[in-house]
């Protein structure tokens, strides 16, 4: 029985020492793109260049989506925002605001607006 216990203790100690070996060595840095030596092209603003892997800022990867489907999706998104706005507006959020509104917060009378009043002519 003693040799079995001794083997299990040695096995657990050896596995623990492998786990405690520390972190992996640091990864090598990214290969950076060289800085431009010539004048930039006119369409350079459409390129996202983070110094590692330049790519187009506008992705043209969805060529399987038709024009009509894209327009429908765009309009559906705008319609969703409009529906959300109308729903929130219908719940009357101004009545639920615990703060005092601007008309109740005025200390002095509101200034008179419009043309000045005309004095009656003396008789």
């Amino acid at each position: 029985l003693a040799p079995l216990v001794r083997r299990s203790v040695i096995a657990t100690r050896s596995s623990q020492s492998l786990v405690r070996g520390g972190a992996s060595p640091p990864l090598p840095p990214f290969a950076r793109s060289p800085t431009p030596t010539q004048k930039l092209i006119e369409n350079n603003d459409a390129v996202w260049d983070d110094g590692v892997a330049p790519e187009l800022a506008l992705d043209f990867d969805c060529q399987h989506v038709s024009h009509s489907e894209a327009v429908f999706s765009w309009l559906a998104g705008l319609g969703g925002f409009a529906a959300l706005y109308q729903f929130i507006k219908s719940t009357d959020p101004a009545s639920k605001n615990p703060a005092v509104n601007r008309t109740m917060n005025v200390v002095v009378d509101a200034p008179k607006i419009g043309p000045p009043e005309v004095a009656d002519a003396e008789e």
Side-chain angles (χ1 to χ4, degrees), residues 4 20 24 28 32 35 41 54-55 59-60 63 65 81 85 94:
L4 290 175
R20 283 186 267 158
S24 62
R32 297 287 175 188
T35 56
I41 59 172
E55 60 179 305
D59 289 330
F60 297 104
Q63 296 181 5
V65 178
F81 283 121
Y85 172 76

Side-chain angles (χ1 to χ4, degrees), residues 23-103:
S24 62
L27 298 172
F30 289 110
R32 297 287 175 188
S33 301
T35 56
T37 56
Q38 301 174 353
K39 290 181 73 174
L40 297 175
I41 59 172
E42 182 179 353
N43 295 337
N44 191 52
D45 56 348
V47 176
W48 173 261
D49 187 6
D50 58 355
V52 177
E55 60 179 305
L56 289 177
L58 299 174
D59 289 330
F60 297 104
D61 296 337
C62 296
Q63 296 181 5
H64 63 282
V65 178
S66 68
H67 178 71
S68 59
E69 183 181 356
V71 169
F72 176 73
S73 297
W74 186 67
L75 290 176
L78 288 178
F81 283 121
L84 178 66
Y85 172 76
Q86 292 300 328
F87 173 72
I88 292 173
K89 190 171 82 170
S90 69
T91 62
D92 192 23
S95 66
K96 297 176 180 82
N97 187 2
V100 178
N101 62 13
R102 289 181 183 262
T103 58

Side-chain angles (χ1 to χ4, degrees), residues 96-118:
K96 297 176 180 82
N97 187 2
V100 178
N101 62 13
R102 289 181 183 262
T103 58
M104 299 295 290
N105 198 21
V106 176
V107 178
V108 295
D109 292 335
K112 295 180 181 178
I113 56 173
E117 295 179 12
V118 177

